[in-house]
Amino acid sequence: MKKNKLISFALILALSLTTAANSVYAGSKSKVYLDGTTTSTDSTVTKVGNGTFPTLAEGEAMTVDAAVARAIERSTTIKSYEDNIEIAEDNLDDIRVYRRAATEFTEVNSYAISYKSLEASIATYKDRIEAEKQSIQYKVVSYFVNIINAQNSLAIYDEYLDIETRNLEIYEKQLELGLISQTQYDSYVDAYNTAVTNKTTLQNTIDSNYTSLNILLDYNVAAVYDIELGEEVEYEPIDRTTLAAHVTLATSAGGNVNIAVLERNVEIAQYTLDLHSDLYSSETRMEVEADLYSATSSLNDTKLSYEGTVKTLYQSIIESEENYSDLVSQLNTLNNTMSVYEKQYELGQITELQLDTYHYTVKSLENQIDAAVYSHYLAVLQYDNPNLLG
């Protein structure tokens, strides 16, 4: 099995993830500057605009664990949930006092419902914090993967453009000799111009993912720095017998925060109905029953939605694994015939351009395989953790 470098997951919290399906280049490091250069510079802290640059010594890289730790620390979403928990707990203390002093039936019921609702809110905020940490982990990994993947393609792109330039020169000569039409030649020119544009697109992908990463880490958006992926793992297909278990996970309160929230809503609606009195309640029984029906319907509809999402994702992963197998098969075929092409070149049976094209095709397939692995890996993370399904 081919092994590559991948992300360390020491900081992942409350995730029940498998170790399947993941490979990236060993020892991968990356530093790409917004002007397109790759010259190393000192990354000492400098305050510029609305953020600082990361403090990294020369040759030191930003790891996934370090990025996740900083993103969690700087998360305003998590801070907001923590503040809400503190406020809700203070309100609970107040309600305990009010409940003991209450004498009217309406007041007692109202405080009981408020108390239960606040307890549910606190539980929800705590769940949201854990889910947000998991989401942050996933975002960091995604940005790292997108950057490395684009850089792998960019690293060999000049070789591709050189081949296309040489091909274009041949087409120009063929046009002069009347061997191809102007229309055919123009199509080759358009393809070449698209190839040149695609190089810019790859650099833009790197830049935009650095920007997104910097926003998440509360760094200056223009900051660029080495990123490093951690421990080695092997690529493995998912277990195709576990779809039902994953659907259950995605539609249960224990595996999905959104389901847990909706189940609490149903519990509160049922509790409110249980305490309802036509004599003392401000709402009619029909209105309270309608609230329970609405909460229950929302829960059931959301479960169905997640079931569909998991099944669609499962099918997508299966297709990606088939694509991966096809790419590996193609690469094996090319590698097995490499010596034949090289011998043909030595004998003058093929041109240098044909041999260079063959070598590039091999490199391109290797990059496609890595990209397929990255994509598969991110999909499996979502498949194993419903909180990442959105």
Side-chain angles (χ1 to χ4, degrees):
M1 283 283 187
K2 178 181 177 182
K3 290 187 177 181
N4 291 324
K5 295 287 281 182
L6 198 66
I7 303 96
S8 168
F9 279 81
L11 290 179
I12 231 169
L13 299 172
L15 281 167
S16 51
L17 303 175
T18 66
T19 57
N22 320 310
S23 68
V24 275
Y25 277 128
S28 290
K29 283 191 176 182
S30 161
K31 182 182 285 184
V32 176
Y33 298 93
L34 297 181
D35 63 359
T37 65
T38 56
T39 306
S40 178
T41 62
D42 189 8
S43 301
T44 54
V45 174
T46 306
K47 184 73 175 180
V48 179
N50 296 320
T52 60
F53 290 105
T55 307
L56 295 171
E58 184 65 28
E60 183 184 2
M62 175 71 70
T63 66
V64 170
D65 287 349
V68 170
R70 179 179 173 89
I72 289 175
E73 178 194 6
R74 299 302 181 101
S75 172
T76 56
T77 300
I78 291 176
K79 182 64 168 61
S80 176
Y81 289 144
E82 290 172 342
D83 289 344
N84 287 339
I85 289 173
E86 185 175 347
I87 293 170
E89 287 177 341
D90 288 342
N91 289 337
L92 276 181
D93 292 338
D94 292 340
I95 289 177
R96 290 190 187 99
V97 175
Y98 298 149
R99 283 178 66 182
R100 286 194 292 268
T103 57
E104 296 293 331
F105 180 85
T106 303
E107 286 184 314
V108 172
N109 277 8
S110 176
Y111 287 137
I113 293 170
S114 296
Y115 191 88
K116 190 172 184 65
S117 297
L118 280 171
E119 285 185 320
S121 295
I122 291 171
T124 293
Y125 292 139
K126 290 180 178 179
D127 285 348
R128 293 292 188 198
I129 287 173
E130 296 309 308
E132 182 64 17
K133 290 177 179 178
Q134 294 165 15
S135 176
I136 286 172
Q137 175 85 24
Y138 182 78
K139 288 178 182 178
V140 169
V141 172
S142 297
Y143 296 144
F144 271 52
V145 162
N146 291 341
I147 291 168
I148 295 297
N149 192 42
Q151 288 175 338
N152 285 344
S153 296
L154 195 60
I156 63 170
Y157 209 83
D158 284 340
E159 185 176 340
Y160 169 65
L161 287 181
D162 176 67
I163 290 171
E164 290 303 297
T165 299
R166 289 151 68 187
N167 277 325
L168 190 59
E169 291 172 354
I170 293 174
Y171 298 143
E172 288 174 352
K173 192 65 176 177
Q174 289 176 334
L175 179 64
E176 292 175 6
L177 297 174
L179 299 176
I180 60 173
S181 67
Q182 183 67 47
T183 300
Q184 289 174 306
Y185 175 74
D186 290 344
S187 69
Y188 294 137
V189 172
D190 289 341
Y192 177 81
N193 290 335
T194 298
V196 173
T197 301
N198 287 343
K199 181 179 180 180
T200 302
T201 300
L202 286 172
Q203 184 60 55
N204 289 341
T205 297
I206 294 169
D207 295 345
S208 65
N209 277 276
Y210 262 118
T211 298
S212 297
L213 181 61
N214 287 330
I215 291 172
L216 185 64
L217 302 185
D218 193 28
Y219 284 138
N220 188 291
V221 293
V224 287
Y225 38 86
D226 289 343
I227 58 174
E228 188 173 65
L229 302 175
E231 62 190 20
E232 293 183 358
V233 297
E234 291 186 355
Y235 172 88
E236 293 180 16
I238 61 171
D239 184 347
R240 301 192 182 190
T241 67
T242 62
L243 175 58
H246 280 79
V247 169
T248 299
L249 182 68
T251 56
S252 67
N256 189 331
V257 166
N258 290 327
I259 298 298
V261 171
L262 293 175
E263 286 193 358
R264 291 187 189 109
N265 290 345
V266 172
E267 291 173 5
I268 292 169
Q270 182 64 61
Y271 185 70
T272 303
L273 180 61
D274 292 341
L275 295 182
H276 181 269
S277 167
D278 289 329
L279 183 61
Y280 296 104
S281 298
S282 59
E283 293 180 298
T284 66
R285 187 173 189 83
M286 184 176 295
E287 289 174 327
V288 179
E289 288 175 342
D291 290 340
L292 175 59
Y293 177 81
S294 177
T296 302
S297 296
S298 180
L299 172 62
N300 292 334
D301 290 346
T302 303
K303 285 184 175 181
L304 285 174
S305 177
Y306 274 110
E307 179 179 352
T309 298
V310 171
K311 289 180 177 179
T312 300
L313 180 57
Y314 169 84
Q315 189 58 44
S316 176
I317 292 173
I318 296 303
E319 291 173 1
S320 75
E321 290 176 353
E322 292 171 354
N323 178 60
Y324 174 84
S325 297
D326 289 343
L327 291 173
V328 170
S329 178
Q330 292 176 44
L331 181 61
N332 288 338
T333 299
L334 288 177
N335 283 329
N336 289 337
T337 57
M338 176 77 74
S339 60
V340 175
Y341 274 79
E342 291 175 342
K343 188 64 176 179
Q344 287 177 333
Y345 175 70
E346 291 177 8
L347 297 174
Q349 296 175 349
I350 62 173
T351 65
E352 182 178 16
L353 176 57
Q354 288 174 306
L355 182 63
D356 289 346
T357 300
Y358 190 89
H359 286 157
Y360 173 78
T361 302
V362 171
K363 294 178 183 178
S364 178
L365 266 175
E366 290 173 342
N367 270 359
Q368 290 179 56
I369 289 170
D370 284 333
V373 170
Y374 290 137
S375 177
H376 179 272
Y377 175 67
L378 292 173
V380 170
L381 286 181
Q382 291 181 305
Y383 184 62
D384 286 336
N385 183 0
N387 292 328
L388 302 178
L389 293 174

